Amino acid sequence: MVPKTLLLRLLRSSSTFLGLIVLALASGALLIQQREYRQDIAANDFLSHSSQTARNGIAEQLDDQLQQLGLGRTDGQNRPNSATGAESSDPPIQFKEIESSLNQYFKDQRHSVEQPLNLAPLPPAVSKYLTQHRSLSTVQRFILENPLPTWELQVAKLIRDPQQNTSFFPIAKLQRLLLAQGLLQYDEAPEAAAENFEAAWRLTDAIAARPDLLSQMLAGILQQQQVILLRHVELPGEQWQARLARNQQQAILQALTFDHWAEYQTLQYQQGQARSVAKSSFPWQGFVGKQYLQFSRLDWLAARKRNHSELVDRQLCDVGTAAPQLPVMPHRLNSFGKGGVTLFAQEWIKASDRMLAAELTQKVMQAKQLARTEGQWPKQLPELKSHVCSQVAWNYERETDGSIRLWFGQPAHWRVGMAGDFAPLSYEADAFQAEVSLEPTDG
């Protein structure tokens, strides 16, 4: 039989131990609440200064025009369409019949490293579609003559329903059609071709004005398509050089910050709406489970912020040689974070890579400008240092036969193990041929 004094001592020690546990849990909960309060303030401050827009009339009218071309609508609302979209006696070609060949054509152009004597001809079906659907020119003028379309992005609605109701796939299709029409007109009507390129850029500018990550990713992809084509066509206007210098790294980092604050507030909202902690999702129940959930969410947010801060001070050429690269690293006790690590840094890497591709296009345009002045490719190019990778330079050579080569001074090791349709970081061209005047000479 246990002595009464020993039993009392055991009870006292057990009570003390339990009291310490309760005190520790209460202190931990207080620290988590204080940290959560600070994060709430930071999230509200950032998101309140983010761009918020409503769908304007331009976007509504553009949707009608997209539907007439058979591209669908950004709002996903299919409406009756009485317009045939054709001005030919032949049965009109539908966009879905040419979409695959149009995409393949632009993919081939993106991967081309050599300057062709003439632009590769468009697939016959694409050319026929452009001839039949003259309304595309009407859409082009509409884009150039009006303010940019804007689509709804309200933070309060986004937090309550993270699923975006706007699809930009129809805009991507229209952008490719405008570029194709520009290429079709390039030889005979270069000014009209330039207007198509301008309208295509304005569309992607409208998407790039949005603060969220998906919009920035799509804008970067669409702009790169145009950036690559600028190596093979020459358009009037000094604005193209400035556009090629767009800081896509900064845009992606801002978008990543927007998304993680929006995600944080979404989780806060969902927690506030929930009546109880999900029983099957957490290792502990009740009070402890709730605190663990809060700890996991705050730790995940902190890990993403550390990841973003690291990217600010990094350069593309310093990134490791294989994926996963620069992953988000949550606390070892955060089992939820470990189960859902996302490589956000990959979007920063792709944006940096696109900036390198734009740098190469700038060098090509610069070489062409000098060639028009000198009558041949220049012997050397000034300012070959890269702004994306300050420790690496571009290489430029003019061969004895008058041809040139331009290439980046370091292999693109950051692409290893990463999926993506990357543009070439090299360029070749035959000897420059000055334009021959066809005007009669005296004598």
Side-chain angles (χ1 to χ4, degrees):
M1 184 173 180
V2 180
K4 184 181 295 186
T5 55
L6 178 59
L7 183 60
L8 290 173
R9 284 199 298 268
L10 289 174
L11 288 173
R12 289 193 190 99
S13 62
S14 298
S15 300
T16 303
F17 181 69
L18 289 174
L20 291 174
I21 291 178
V22 171
L23 180 61
L25 289 174
S27 300
L30 180 60
L31 290 174
I32 289 174
Q33 289 177 357
Q34 290 175 344
R35 186 179 177 190
E36 193 171 25
Y37 176 72
R38 291 194 296 269
Q39 298 302 322
D40 286 342
I41 292 176
N44 288 326
D45 181 64
F46 181 88
L47 294 175
S48 66
H49 291 88
S50 298
S51 174
Q52 300 190 54
T53 55
R55 179 181 172 88
N56 66 1
I58 303 300
E60 183 67 29
Q61 294 179 64
L62 185 59
D63 260 350
D64 294 337
Q65 296 169 330
L66 288 168
Q67 186 172 356
Q68 289 178 10
L69 290 169
L71 308 182
R73 300 173 61 91
T74 63
D75 60 7
Q77 303 294 323
N78 294 323
R79 302 178 183 179
N81 183 13
S82 59
T84 63
E87 299 177 12
S88 170
S89 59
D90 296 334
I93 299 176
Q94 301 301 311
F95 179 78
K96 62 183 179 181
E97 300 177 56
I98 67 161
E99 185 173 8
S100 178
S101 58
L102 180 65
N103 292 343
Q104 186 61 47
Y105 174 82
F106 281 118
K107 183 176 182 180
D108 293 341
Q109 303 311 305
R110 285 197 299 274
H111 294 167
S112 175
V113 300
E114 296 185 2
Q115 157 94 18
L117 294 177
N118 296 296
L119 286 169
L122 291 166
V126 175
S127 298
K128 188 173 182 179
Y129 175 94
L130 295 172
T131 301
Q132 289 182 334
H133 293 261
R134 299 294 179 85
S135 58
L136 182 62
S137 297
T138 303
V139 179
Q140 178 239 82
R141 289 194 297 272
F142 175 79
I143 295 170
L144 294 180
E145 294 172 0
N146 288 282
L148 292 179
T150 61
W151 300 271
E152 183 178 77
L153 197 153
Q154 301 291 333
V155 172
K157 289 185 178 181
L158 185 64
I159 290 170
R160 287 165 174 75
D161 182 13
Q163 298 296 325
Q164 295 193 33
N165 297 321
T166 302
S167 170
F168 291 114
F169 288 111
I171 299 296
K173 296 173 185 177
L174 176 59
Q175 189 245 21
R176 289 194 291 273
L177 283 176
L178 289 169
L179 294 177
Q181 181 166 262
L183 296 179
L184 186 66
Q185 299 171 336
Y186 181 67
D187 289 330
E188 301 297 329
E191 291 185 359
E195 290 179 350
N196 278 286
F197 271 71
E198 180 69 24
W201 192 273
R202 283 175 62 82
L203 283 178
T204 50
D205 259 356
I207 299 175
R210 295 166 60 86
D212 61 294
L213 181 59
L214 285 176
S215 296
Q216 291 302 319
M217 290 166 57
L218 179 59
I221 293 170
L222 296 183
Q223 288 178 357
Q224 172 141 301
Q225 176 65 79
Q226 203 156 343
V227 164
I228 302 306
L229 289 177
L230 290 174
R231 299 177 187 178
H232 306 289
V233 301
E234 298 182 51
L235 301 178
E238 297 180 356
Q239 72 272 20
W240 293 106
Q241 284 284 359
R243 288 168 174 172
L244 292 174
R246 177 175 177 259
N247 192 334
Q248 298 189 51
Q249 291 174 329
Q250 183 178 7
I252 285 292
L253 287 175
Q254 282 288 105
L256 285 169
T257 303
F258 175 89
D259 270 32
H260 87 240
W261 282 129
E263 179 184 332
Y264 170 78
Q265 285 206 338
T266 299
L267 291 172
Q268 291 289 83
Y269 172 76
Q270 292 173 348
Q271 182 189 5
Q273 294 293 104
R275 294 182 178 178
S276 62
V277 178
K279 295 182 179 181
S280 61
S281 301
F282 306 107
W284 301 288
Q285 301 297 325
F287 175 79
V288 176
K290 181 179 179 181
Q291 299 310 313
Y292 186 77
L293 173 63
Q294 291 176 314
F295 157 76
S296 298
R297 183 171 62 252
L298 293 171
D299 176 68
W300 178 241
L301 176 67
R304 289 179 64 172
K305 290 175 67 177
R306 289 194 301 270
N307 182 259
H308 300 170
S309 299
E310 182 180 359
L311 293 176
V312 171
D313 298 324
R314 295 291 291 268
Q315 290 198 1
L316 178 63
C317 296
D318 298 331
V319 172
T321 58
Q325 302 170 51
L326 302 175
V328 175
M329 299 298 292
H331 193 278
R332 60 185 178 83
L333 296 179
N334 187 351
S335 59
F336 304 131
K338 288 182 180 179
V341 171
T342 305
L343 301 179
F344 297 101
Q346 285 198 0
E347 297 308 325
W348 176 87
I349 292 171
K350 291 177 182 179
S352 305
D353 190 275
R354 289 193 290 266
M355 289 180 66
L356 269 184
E359 272 193 354
L360 176 56
T361 299
Q362 285 180 310
K363 304 304 177 189
V364 171
M365 295 173 69
Q366 185 181 39
K368 286 183 177 181
Q369 185 177 8
L370 291 172
R372 285 192 295 271
T373 302
E374 301 175 12
Q376 60 180 343
W377 292 114
K379 290 184 179 180
Q380 58 184 5
L381 285 180
E383 300 180 6
L384 287 171
K385 182 178 179 181
S386 171
H387 295 288
V388 179
C389 294
S390 59
Q391 71 274 31
V392 182
W394 293 90
N395 295 311
Y396 173 82
E397 284 185 357
R398 190 180 76 182
E399 308 293 346
T400 55
D401 62 356
S403 63
I404 62 165
R405 290 196 308 136
L406 254 169
W407 71 99
F408 192 57
Q410 178 175 306
H413 60 264
W414 53 85
R415 296 178 176 178
V416 176
M418 192 187 317
D421 190 12
F422 297 102
L425 299 180
S426 62
Y427 176 87
E428 300 176 10
D430 294 333
F432 183 81
Q433 296 180 354
E435 297 182 359
V436 180
S437 175
L438 299 180
E439 296 180 1
T441 58
D442 294 336

